Amino acid sequence: VVERDDRMVMMYRRPTGWASLSSREFYRNVAGVARGIRDWGIGAGDRISILSENRPEWTTADFAGLLLGAVVVPIYPTLTAEQTAFVLRDSGARVVFVSSEAHLNKVLSIKDQTLVERIVVMDPSSDPRAVSMEGLMKGGPDHPDPQLDATARAVRPSDLATIIYTSGTTGTPKGAMLTHGNMASNLACSLLGFDISTGDLSISLLPLSHVTARHLDFAVLHHGGVLAYVSFPDRLTQALTEVRPTIFVA
């Protein structure tokens, strides 16, 4: 994505209209977050969690963790505090990214039941118990970071990439362990019947905490398309008419 130097890889809705991110801006944000959590001691095999609706910061946190060799654990935003505590505790997550003040308060209410050391919040927040994700992203480099790039290239296909907890099963959720090779093999073959390329635009609405949506977004970026994030289903109709996607999976 970065090497193509794309003018636009992501779109997101602001109160004043749609804004976009270039591939260079995306790299800066990812590298800034990766440097930040690396300075906290997060490295290969460590668990980080993401509790958020679909938005560019979700993918930024995901990529930051993956390029360090950390294991990313998504959490459905609709889970209760008790259910959230189970996933954080069971996975051993040390850092959790949350989207909003509401999710921050949910995690703070159960933090002492987990191994979480730091909480990063995406929305502006004055809570001293959280770290600003905006601050981490702004600290990213304007040019490629050779050390981070080397760390990313050292990740092997057999290394664990993510633990995705099942929904709709009886009892407590089960953590499905997927390697980088698992994800890459899906990217290589699952979209062979579709001609996705530069100029395509995909609405990102299905929860990124599920493997289907996450895999699709990876694939769109890989093939040179643009992601338009829709955080809540009730905003879909407006988004469809405004960004006019060529791809929509539901």
Side-chain angles (χ1 to χ4, degrees):
V1 174
V2 178
E3 292 172 350
R4 289 196 300 263
D5 198 18
D6 292 329
R7 180 182 60 83
M8 183 169 64
V9 293
M10 295 176 177
M11 298 177 66
Y12 58 100
R13 194 71 163 77
R14 286 178 169 171
T16 55
W18 288 87
S20 64
L21 286 172
S22 69
S23 59
R24 289 191 181 190
E25 290 170 322
F26 180 54
Y27 180 88
R28 179 203 66 197
N29 293 347
V30 169
V33 173
R35 284 175 170 182
I37 63 176
R38 182 189 61 193
D39 290 346
W40 298 339
I42 298 298
D46 289 318
R47 274 66 163 157
I48 69 168
S49 193
I50 306 174
L51 170 58
S52 169
E53 301 77 20
N54 291 21
R55 53 193 288 175
E57 293 90 346
W58 204 111
T59 306
T60 299
D62 192 18
F63 274 51
L66 293 175
L67 73 81
L68 291 176
V71 180
V72 179
V73 183
I75 298 179
Y76 284 90
T78 53
L79 294 188
T80 65
E82 182 183 11
Q83 292 168 323
T84 300
F86 170 79
V87 173
L88 291 172
R89 185 170 56 248
D90 190 67
S91 65
R94 295 174 55 197
V95 175
V96 56
F97 291 80
V98 300
S99 59
S100 64
E101 201 82 20
H103 289 314
L104 171 60
N105 290 332
K106 180 162 65 176
V107 172
L108 286 171
S109 73
I110 48 87
K111 182 174 179 286
D112 60 354
Q113 304 174 34
T114 73
L115 298 176
V116 170
E117 300 163 13
R118 285 184 171 88
I119 306 171
V120 183
V121 63
M122 301 172 187
D123 284 349
S125 172
S126 58
D127 196 312
R129 296 169 292 180
V131 177
S132 164
M133 187 169 179
E134 181 69 23
L136 295 178
M137 294 191 298
K138 284 184 175 178
D142 293 324
H143 302 285
D145 181 325
Q147 184 178 357
L148 281 178
D149 291 352
T151 300
R153 292 190 180 97
V155 176
R156 311 316 308 164
S158 58
D159 291 342
L160 186 62
T162 187
I163 302 175
I164 300 178
Y165 281 79
T166 56
S167 61
T169 52
T170 56
T172 55
K174 318 301 186 294
M177 303 168 71
L178 300 177
T179 66
H180 284 264
N182 292 148
M183 303 295 281
S185 65
N186 279 348
L187 288 175
C189 67
S190 65
L191 296 178
L192 292 178
F194 301 89
D195 185 22
I196 299 177
S197 61
T198 302
D200 276 313
L201 189 147
S202 175
I203 289 277
S204 178
L205 173 73
L206 291 178
L208 284 169
S209 41
H210 192 283
V211 71
T212 301
R214 193 153 157 227
H215 160 251
L216 173 68
D217 284 10
F218 281 168
V220 170
L221 291 175
H222 176 66
H223 287 285
V226 176
L227 295 174
Y229 290 92
V230 178
S231 299
F232 301 99
D234 60 2
R235 300 177 186 174
L236 174 61
T237 304
Q238 181 182 9
L240 289 171
T241 59
E242 290 177 341
V243 303
R244 303 181 68 81
T246 58
I247 304 164
F248 176 48
V249 175

